[in-house]
mmCIF file of all heavy atoms in Angstrom:
data_model
loop_
_atom_site.group_PDB
_atom_site.id
_atom_site.type_symbol
_atom_site.label_atom_id
_atom_site.label_comp_id
_atom_site.label_asym_id
_atom_site.label_seq_id
_atom_site.Cartn_x
_atom_site.Cartn_y
_atom_site.Cartn_z
ATOM 1 N N ILE A 1 1.496 22.380 -6.681
ATOM 2 C CA ILE A 1 1.320 21.085 -6.017
ATOM 3 C C ILE A 1 -0.124 20.954 -5.573
ATOM 4 O O ILE A 1 -0.655 21.844 -4.890
ATOM 5 C CB ILE A 1 2.270 20.984 -4.807
ATOM 6 C CG1 ILE A 1 3.738 21.072 -5.272
ATOM 7 C CG2 ILE A 1 2.034 19.686 -4.032
ATOM 8 C CD1 ILE A 1 4.631 21.805 -4.325
ATOM 9 N N ASP A 2 -0.759 19.887 -5.958
ATOM 10 C CA ASP A 2 -2.150 19.627 -5.579
ATOM 11 C C ASP A 2 -2.166 19.063 -4.163
ATOM 12 O O ASP A 2 -1.800 17.910 -3.939
ATOM 13 C CB ASP A 2 -2.781 18.639 -6.563
ATOM 14 C CG ASP A 2 -4.281 18.467 -6.361
ATOM 15 O OD1 ASP A 2 -4.726 18.446 -5.194
ATOM 16 O OD2 ASP A 2 -4.993 18.343 -7.370
ATOM 17 N N LYS A 3 -2.618 19.863 -3.206
ATOM 18 C CA LYS A 3 -2.581 19.456 -1.801
ATOM 19 C C LYS A 3 -3.483 18.255 -1.532
ATOM 20 O O LYS A 3 -3.115 17.356 -0.761
ATOM 21 C CB LYS A 3 -3.002 20.622 -0.904
ATOM 22 C CG LYS A 3 -2.925 20.303 0.580
ATOM 23 C CD LYS A 3 -3.305 21.498 1.439
ATOM 24 C CE LYS A 3 -3.281 21.137 2.920
ATOM 25 N NZ LYS A 3 -3.680 22.291 3.772
ATOM 26 N N SER A 4 -4.636 18.206 -2.160
ATOM 27 C CA SER A 4 -5.553 17.083 -1.913
ATOM 28 C C SER A 4 -4.954 15.770 -2.394
ATOM 29 O O SER A 4 -5.103 14.732 -1.743
ATOM 30 C CB SER A 4 -6.903 17.332 -2.600
ATOM 31 O OG SER A 4 -6.760 17.369 -4.015
ATOM 32 N N LYS A 5 -4.226 15.801 -3.537
ATOM 33 C CA LYS A 5 -3.580 14.583 -4.029
ATOM 34 C C LYS A 5 -2.401 14.184 -3.144
ATOM 35 O O LYS A 5 -2.124 12.995 -2.960
ATOM 36 C CB LYS A 5 -3.139 14.769 -5.480
ATOM 37 C CG LYS A 5 -4.312 14.818 -6.458
ATOM 38 C CD LYS A 5 -3.840 14.880 -7.892
ATOM 39 C CE LYS A 5 -5.026 14.862 -8.857
ATOM 40 N NZ LYS A 5 -4.603 14.925 -10.278
ATOM 41 N N LEU A 6 -1.712 15.185 -2.604
ATOM 42 C CA LEU A 6 -0.635 14.894 -1.655
ATOM 43 C C LEU A 6 -1.208 14.194 -0.429
ATOM 44 O O LEU A 6 -0.637 13.195 0.053
ATOM 45 C CB LEU A 6 0.070 16.180 -1.246
ATOM 46 C CG LEU A 6 1.094 16.071 -0.113
ATOM 47 C CD1 LEU A 6 2.188 15.063 -0.452
ATOM 48 C CD2 LEU A 6 1.704 17.439 0.181
ATOM 49 N N GLU A 7 -2.321 14.665 0.059
ATOM 50 C CA GLU A 7 -2.943 14.040 1.232
ATOM 51 C C GLU A 7 -3.436 12.636 0.917
ATOM 52 O O GLU A 7 -3.393 11.749 1.775
ATOM 53 C CB GLU A 7 -4.070 14.929 1.748
ATOM 54 C CG GLU A 7 -3.545 16.222 2.379
ATOM 55 C CD GLU A 7 -4.622 17.168 2.843
ATOM 56 O OE1 GLU A 7 -5.750 17.117 2.276
ATOM 57 O OE2 GLU A 7 -4.370 17.953 3.781
ATOM 58 N N GLU A 8 -3.871 12.412 -0.319
ATOM 59 C CA GLU A 8 -4.241 11.053 -0.742
ATOM 60 C C GLU A 8 -3.009 10.146 -0.707
ATOM 61 O O GLU A 8 -3.082 8.992 -0.268
ATOM 62 C CB GLU A 8 -4.830 11.067 -2.151
ATOM 63 C CG GLU A 8 -6.244 11.594 -2.240
ATOM 64 C CD GLU A 8 -6.759 11.590 -3.673
ATOM 65 O OE1 GLU A 8 -6.114 10.941 -4.531
ATOM 66 O OE2 GLU A 8 -7.780 12.242 -3.932
ATOM 67 N N ASN A 9 -1.884 10.658 -1.173
ATOM 68 C CA ASN A 9 -0.646 9.871 -1.156
ATOM 69 C C ASN A 9 -0.233 9.526 0.267
ATOM 70 O O ASN A 9 0.204 8.400 0.546
ATOM 71 C CB ASN A 9 0.487 10.649 -1.842
ATOM 72 C CG ASN A 9 0.386 10.603 -3.353
ATOM 73 O OD1 ASN A 9 -0.486 9.946 -3.911
ATOM 74 N ND2 ASN A 9 1.277 11.315 -4.030
ATOM 75 N N ILE A 10 -0.361 10.489 1.172
ATOM 76 C CA ILE A 10 -0.029 10.231 2.576
ATOM 77 C C ILE A 10 -0.890 9.097 3.118
ATOM 78 O O ILE A 10 -0.385 8.187 3.806
ATOM 79 C CB ILE A 10 -0.225 11.502 3.424
ATOM 80 C CG1 ILE A 10 0.774 12.584 2.988
ATOM 81 C CG2 ILE A 10 -0.038 11.195 4.909
ATOM 82 C CD1 ILE A 10 0.501 13.948 3.585
ATOM 83 N N LYS A 11 -2.161 9.109 2.790
ATOM 84 C CA LYS A 11 -3.080 8.063 3.250
ATOM 85 C C LYS A 11 -2.689 6.703 2.682
ATOM 86 O O LYS A 11 -2.662 5.689 3.398
ATOM 87 C CB LYS A 11 -4.515 8.412 2.842
ATOM 88 C CG LYS A 11 -5.550 7.421 3.330
ATOM 89 C CD LYS A 11 -6.960 7.837 2.915
ATOM 90 C CE LYS A 11 -7.993 6.822 3.381
ATOM 91 N NZ LYS A 11 -9.376 7.213 2.965
ATOM 92 N N ILE A 12 -2.363 6.653 1.391
ATOM 93 C CA ILE A 12 -1.956 5.391 0.746
ATOM 94 C C ILE A 12 -0.697 4.840 1.404
ATOM 95 O O ILE A 12 -0.579 3.637 1.669
ATOM 96 C CB ILE A 12 -1.728 5.612 -0.761
ATOM 97 C CG1 ILE A 12 -3.061 5.905 -1.463
ATOM 98 C CG2 ILE A 12 -1.061 4.389 -1.393
ATOM 99 C CD1 ILE A 12 -2.906 6.390 -2.896
ATOM 100 N N ILE A 13 0.261 5.710 1.665
ATOM 101 C CA ILE A 13 1.528 5.293 2.275
ATOM 102 C C ILE A 13 1.290 4.745 3.678
ATOM 103 O O ILE A 13 1.867 3.719 4.070
ATOM 104 C CB ILE A 13 2.524 6.471 2.295
ATOM 105 C CG1 ILE A 13 2.935 6.815 0.860
ATOM 106 C CG2 ILE A 13 3.752 6.131 3.136
ATOM 107 C CD1 ILE A 13 3.591 8.174 0.729
ATOM 108 N N LYS A 14 0.453 5.417 4.445
ATOM 109 C CA LYS A 14 0.148 4.950 5.802
ATOM 110 C C LYS A 14 -0.471 3.558 5.778
ATOM 111 O O LYS A 14 -0.129 2.682 6.578
ATOM 112 C CB LYS A 14 -0.806 5.927 6.494
ATOM 113 C CG LYS A 14 -0.157 7.202 6.988
ATOM 114 C CD LYS A 14 -1.193 8.065 7.713
ATOM 115 C CE LYS A 14 -0.559 9.273 8.355
ATOM 116 N NZ LYS A 14 -1.558 10.089 9.076
ATOM 117 N N GLU A 15 -1.401 3.355 4.848
ATOM 118 C CA GLU A 15 -2.074 2.053 4.742
ATOM 119 C C GLU A 15 -1.097 0.968 4.321
ATOM 120 O O GLU A 15 -1.193 -0.185 4.760
ATOM 121 C CB GLU A 15 -3.235 2.150 3.752
ATOM 122 C CG GLU A 15 -4.397 3.017 4.257
ATOM 123 C CD GLU A 15 -5.465 3.232 3.205
ATOM 124 O OE1 GLU A 15 -5.232 2.870 2.023
ATOM 125 O OE2 GLU A 15 -6.531 3.777 3.545
ATOM 126 N N LYS A 16 -0.150 1.319 3.461
ATOM 127 C CA LYS A 16 0.843 0.355 2.997
ATOM 128 C C LYS A 16 1.850 0.025 4.093
ATOM 129 O O LYS A 16 2.229 -1.134 4.279
ATOM 130 C CB LYS A 16 1.575 0.930 1.774
ATOM 131 C CG LYS A 16 2.669 0.033 1.197
ATOM 132 C CD LYS A 16 2.099 -1.166 0.481
ATOM 133 C CE LYS A 16 3.185 -1.944 -0.222
ATOM 134 N NZ LYS A 16 2.677 -3.191 -0.841
ATOM 135 N N ALA A 17 2.278 1.034 4.842
ATOM 136 C CA ALA A 17 3.333 0.851 5.835
ATOM 137 C C ALA A 17 2.856 0.138 7.092
ATOM 138 O O ALA A 17 3.544 -0.740 7.629
ATOM 139 C CB ALA A 17 3.933 2.202 6.206
ATOM 140 N N LYS A 18 1.716 0.570 7.613
ATOM 141 C CA LYS A 18 1.146 0.002 8.852
ATOM 142 C C LYS A 18 2.044 0.211 10.077
ATOM 143 O O LYS A 18 1.855 -0.425 11.105
ATOM 144 C CB LYS A 18 0.832 -1.481 8.685
ATOM 145 C CG LYS A 18 -0.227 -1.785 7.627
ATOM 146 C CD LYS A 18 -0.520 -3.266 7.547
ATOM 147 C CE LYS A 18 -1.661 -3.566 6.594
ATOM 148 N NZ LYS A 18 -1.362 -3.195 5.196
ATOM 149 N N VAL A 19 3.042 1.064 9.952
ATOM 150 C CA VAL A 19 3.932 1.419 11.066
ATOM 151 C C VAL A 19 4.183 2.924 10.960
ATOM 152 O O VAL A 19 3.881 3.549 9.937
ATOM 153 C CB VAL A 19 5.279 0.652 11.009
ATOM 154 C CG1 VAL A 19 5.059 -0.850 11.202
ATOM 155 C CG2 VAL A 19 6.019 0.939 9.710
ATOM 156 N N PRO A 20 4.746 3.545 12.012
ATOM 157 C CA PRO A 20 5.025 4.981 11.946
ATOM 158 C C PRO A 20 5.911 5.359 10.760
ATOM 159 O O PRO A 20 6.788 4.599 10.348
ATOM 160 C CB PRO A 20 5.724 5.257 13.281
ATOM 161 C CG PRO A 20 5.186 4.211 14.209
ATOM 162 C CD PRO A 20 5.031 2.985 13.356
ATOM 163 N N ILE A 21 5.674 6.559 10.235
ATOM 164 C CA ILE A 21 6.414 7.057 9.071
ATOM 165 C C ILE A 21 7.416 8.121 9.507
ATOM 166 O O ILE A 21 7.072 9.038 10.256
ATOM 167 C CB ILE A 21 5.449 7.660 8.034
ATOM 168 C CG1 ILE A 21 4.571 6.549 7.438
ATOM 169 C CG2 ILE A 21 6.214 8.389 6.937
ATOM 170 C CD1 ILE A 21 3.435 7.063 6.589
ATOM 171 N N ILE A 22 8.635 7.959 9.052
ATOM 172 C CA ILE A 22 9.654 9.007 9.193
ATOM 173 C C ILE A 22 9.662 9.758 7.866
ATOM 174 O O ILE A 22 10.044 9.211 6.838
ATOM 175 C CB ILE A 22 11.046 8.411 9.476
ATOM 176 C CG1 ILE A 22 11.023 7.600 10.776
ATOM 177 C CG2 ILE A 22 12.104 9.509 9.536
ATOM 178 C CD1 ILE A 22 12.274 6.753 10.993
ATOM 179 N N ALA A 23 9.189 10.995 7.889
ATOM 180 C CA ALA A 23 9.107 11.784 6.658
ATOM 181 C C ALA A 23 10.458 12.412 6.354
ATOM 182 O O ALA A 23 10.968 13.224 7.126
ATOM 183 C CB ALA A 23 8.041 12.864 6.798
ATOM 184 N N VAL A 24 11.033 12.040 5.220
ATOM 185 C CA VAL A 24 12.322 12.590 4.807
ATOM 186 C C VAL A 24 12.049 13.839 3.968
ATOM 187 O O VAL A 24 11.445 13.750 2.900
ATOM 188 C CB VAL A 24 13.131 11.562 4.003
ATOM 189 C CG1 VAL A 24 14.488 12.131 3.633
ATOM 190 C CG2 VAL A 24 13.292 10.267 4.802
ATOM 191 N N VAL A 25 12.472 14.986 4.482
ATOM 192 C CA VAL A 25 12.181 16.256 3.804
ATOM 193 C C VAL A 25 13.466 16.937 3.321
ATOM 194 O O VAL A 25 13.525 18.160 3.195
ATOM 195 C CB VAL A 25 11.356 17.195 4.714
ATOM 196 C CG1 VAL A 25 9.970 16.624 4.933
ATOM 197 C CG2 VAL A 25 12.060 17.428 6.058
ATOM 198 N N LYS A 26 14.475 16.142 3.030
ATOM 199 C CA LYS A 26 15.738 16.670 2.489
ATOM 200 C C LYS A 26 15.503 17.224 1.089
ATOM 201 O O LYS A 26 14.441 17.013 0.487
ATOM 202 C CB LYS A 26 16.791 15.564 2.452
ATOM 203 C CG LYS A 26 16.464 14.415 1.495
ATOM 204 C CD LYS A 26 17.519 13.339 1.536
ATOM 205 C CE LYS A 26 17.170 12.200 0.560
ATOM 206 N NZ LYS A 26 18.188 11.140 0.573
ATOM 207 N N GLY A 27 16.528 17.899 0.552
ATOM 208 C CA GLY A 27 16.416 18.408 -0.812
ATOM 209 C C GLY A 27 15.255 19.362 -0.984
ATOM 210 O O GLY A 27 14.487 19.247 -1.950
ATOM 211 N N ASN A 28 15.123 20.306 -0.007
ATOM 212 C CA ASN A 28 14.008 21.258 -0.047
ATOM 213 C C ASN A 28 12.675 20.525 -0.092
ATOM 214 O O ASN A 28 11.793 20.843 -0.890
ATOM 215 C CB ASN A 28 14.142 22.212 -1.245
ATOM 216 C CG ASN A 28 13.176 23.396 -1.172
ATOM 217 O OD1 ASN A 28 12.793 23.828 -0.084
ATOM 218 N ND2 ASN A 28 12.778 23.906 -2.320
ATOM 219 N N GLY A 29 12.550 19.531 0.788
ATOM 220 C CA GLY A 29 11.302 18.761 0.836
ATOM 221 C C GLY A 29 11.046 18.008 -0.448
ATOM 222 O O GLY A 29 9.932 17.997 -0.972
ATOM 223 N N TYR A 30 12.112 17.339 -0.964
ATOM 224 C CA TYR A 30 12.034 16.641 -2.256
ATOM 225 C C TYR A 30 11.514 17.564 -3.353
ATOM 226 O O TYR A 30 10.828 17.147 -4.287
ATOM 227 C CB TYR A 30 11.180 15.370 -2.158
ATOM 228 C CG TYR A 30 12.009 14.166 -1.791
ATOM 229 C CD1 TYR A 30 12.402 13.940 -0.465
ATOM 230 C CD2 TYR A 30 12.443 13.268 -2.743
ATOM 231 C CE1 TYR A 30 13.203 12.860 -0.118
ATOM 232 C CE2 TYR A 30 13.235 12.180 -2.414
ATOM 233 C CZ TYR A 30 13.612 11.988 -1.104
ATOM 234 O OH TYR A 30 14.405 10.920 -0.773
ATOM 235 N N GLY A 31 11.853 18.854 -3.217
ATOM 236 C CA GLY A 31 11.469 19.834 -4.222
ATOM 237 C C GLY A 31 10.113 20.461 -3.987
ATOM 238 O O GLY A 31 9.691 21.340 -4.740
ATOM 239 N N PHE A 32 9.411 20.051 -2.932
ATOM 240 C CA PHE A 32 8.067 20.580 -2.655
ATOM 241 C C PHE A 32 8.093 21.811 -1.740
ATOM 242 O O PHE A 32 7.043 22.340 -1.409
ATOM 243 C CB PHE A 32 7.199 19.484 -2.015
ATOM 244 C CG PHE A 32 6.487 18.609 -3.021
ATOM 245 C CD1 PHE A 32 6.901 18.546 -4.339
ATOM 246 C CD2 PHE A 32 5.407 17.836 -2.642
ATOM 247 C CE1 PHE A 32 6.255 17.734 -5.263
ATOM 248 C CE2 PHE A 32 4.741 17.024 -3.556
ATOM 249 C CZ PHE A 32 5.162 16.977 -4.872
ATOM 250 N N GLY A 33 9.278 22.260 -1.349
ATOM 251 C CA GLY A 33 9.376 23.376 -0.417
ATOM 252 C C GLY A 33 9.331 22.843 1.004
ATOM 253 O O GLY A 33 8.257 22.470 1.496
ATOM 254 N N MET A 34 10.475 22.787 1.668
ATOM 255 C CA MET A 34 10.568 22.058 2.935
ATOM 256 C C MET A 34 9.602 22.557 4.002
ATOM 257 O O MET A 34 8.943 21.761 4.680
ATOM 258 C CB MET A 34 12.001 22.118 3.473
ATOM 259 C CG MET A 34 12.206 21.272 4.732
ATOM 260 S SD MET A 34 13.916 21.275 5.323
ATOM 261 C CE MET A 34 14.049 22.987 5.869
ATOM 262 N N ALA A 35 9.486 23.862 4.167
ATOM 263 C CA ALA A 35 8.668 24.401 5.251
ATOM 264 C C ALA A 35 7.186 24.055 5.074
ATOM 265 O O ALA A 35 6.556 23.481 5.972
ATOM 266 C CB ALA A 35 8.852 25.912 5.347
ATOM 267 N N GLU A 36 6.623 24.384 3.917
ATOM 268 C CA GLU A 36 5.193 24.125 3.698
ATOM 269 C C GLU A 36 4.907 22.629 3.633
ATOM 270 O O GLU A 36 3.897 22.146 4.161
ATOM 271 C CB GLU A 36 4.736 24.802 2.404
ATOM 272 C CG GLU A 36 3.235 24.748 2.169
ATOM 273 C CD GLU A 36 2.430 25.476 3.232
ATOM 274 O OE1 GLU A 36 2.960 26.415 3.852
ATOM 275 O OE2 GLU A 36 1.261 25.081 3.445
ATOM 276 N N PHE A 37 5.784 21.881 3.009
ATOM 277 C CA PHE A 37 5.643 20.428 2.916
ATOM 278 C C PHE A 37 5.608 19.803 4.312
ATOM 279 O O PHE A 37 4.753 18.967 4.618
ATOM 280 C CB PHE A 37 6.819 19.882 2.103
ATOM 281 C CG PHE A 37 6.776 18.411 1.801
ATOM 282 C CD1 PHE A 37 5.606 17.781 1.459
ATOM 283 C CD2 PHE A 37 7.948 17.665 1.823
ATOM 284 C CE1 PHE A 37 5.580 16.419 1.163
ATOM 285 C CE2 PHE A 37 7.941 16.312 1.527
ATOM 286 C CZ PHE A 37 6.755 15.687 1.200
ATOM 287 N N THR A 38 6.512 20.240 5.174
ATOM 288 C CA THR A 38 6.570 19.723 6.543
ATOM 289 C C THR A 38 5.286 20.026 7.303
ATOM 290 O O THR A 38 4.758 19.174 8.031
ATOM 291 C CB THR A 38 7.780 20.333 7.286
ATOM 292 O OG1 THR A 38 8.980 19.893 6.644
ATOM 293 C CG2 THR A 38 7.805 19.898 8.747
ATOM 294 N N LYS A 39 4.765 21.223 7.139
ATOM 295 C CA LYS A 39 3.531 21.605 7.832
ATOM 296 C C LYS A 39 2.356 20.713 7.422
ATOM 297 O O LYS A 39 1.550 20.300 8.255
ATOM 298 C CB LYS A 39 3.201 23.072 7.551
ATOM 299 C CG LYS A 39 4.160 24.061 8.191
ATOM 300 C CD LYS A 39 3.859 25.485 7.747
ATOM 301 C CE LYS A 39 4.885 26.463 8.294
ATOM 302 N NZ LYS A 39 4.638 27.852 7.802
ATOM 303 N N ILE A 40 2.281 20.395 6.132
ATOM 304 C CA ILE A 40 1.188 19.536 5.651
ATOM 305 C C ILE A 40 1.342 18.111 6.179
ATOM 306 O O ILE A 40 0.358 17.483 6.597
ATOM 307 C CB ILE A 40 1.149 19.557 4.110
ATOM 308 C CG1 ILE A 40 0.721 20.944 3.625
ATOM 309 C CG2 ILE A 40 0.190 18.488 3.571
ATOM 310 C CD1 ILE A 40 0.841 21.142 2.128
ATOM 311 N N LEU A 41 2.558 17.601 6.181
ATOM 312 C CA LEU A 41 2.793 16.263 6.729
ATOM 313 C C LEU A 41 2.431 16.225 8.213
ATOM 314 O O LEU A 41 1.822 15.263 8.697
ATOM 315 C CB LEU A 41 4.256 15.866 6.532
ATOM 316 C CG LEU A 41 4.716 15.674 5.083
ATOM 317 C CD1 LEU A 41 6.226 15.541 5.011
ATOM 318 C CD2 LEU A 41 4.045 14.451 4.452
ATOM 319 N N LEU A 42 2.779 17.280 8.921
ATOM 320 C CA LEU A 42 2.460 17.377 10.347
ATOM 321 C C LEU A 42 0.950 17.398 10.568
ATOM 322 O O LEU A 42 0.425 16.720 11.462
ATOM 323 C CB LEU A 42 3.106 18.641 10.926
ATOM 324 C CG LEU A 42 3.138 18.817 12.444
ATOM 325 C CD1 LEU A 42 3.909 17.677 13.103
ATOM 326 C CD2 LEU A 42 3.769 20.158 12.797
#
């Protein structure tokens, strides 16, 4: 998983939403590994 591209996606989503994001990390973090994925989102 390219962490820099993931962070770009987070930025795009924030700009699109303009409201707080509830990160859904079900399914082993949508397959990205729940623990590490959660830490990066945090």
Side-chain angles (χ1 to χ4, degrees):
I1 298 144
D2 188 321
K3 183 178 177 181
S4 65
K5 289 185 177 180
L6 172 57
E7 290 177 334
E8 285 179 14
N9 282 357
I10 295 170
K11 183 179 179 181
I12 292 169
I13 292 164
K14 284 183 174 181
E15 291 173 350
K16 179 72 173 175
K18 297 182 175 63
V19 295
I21 293 170
I22 300 169
V24 182
V25 293
K26 65 182 180 180
N28 192 29
Y30 270 79
F32 273 19
M34 185 177 68
E36 187 63 27
F37 185 40
T38 296
K39 291 174 185 177
I40 292 172
L41 294 169
L42 192 60

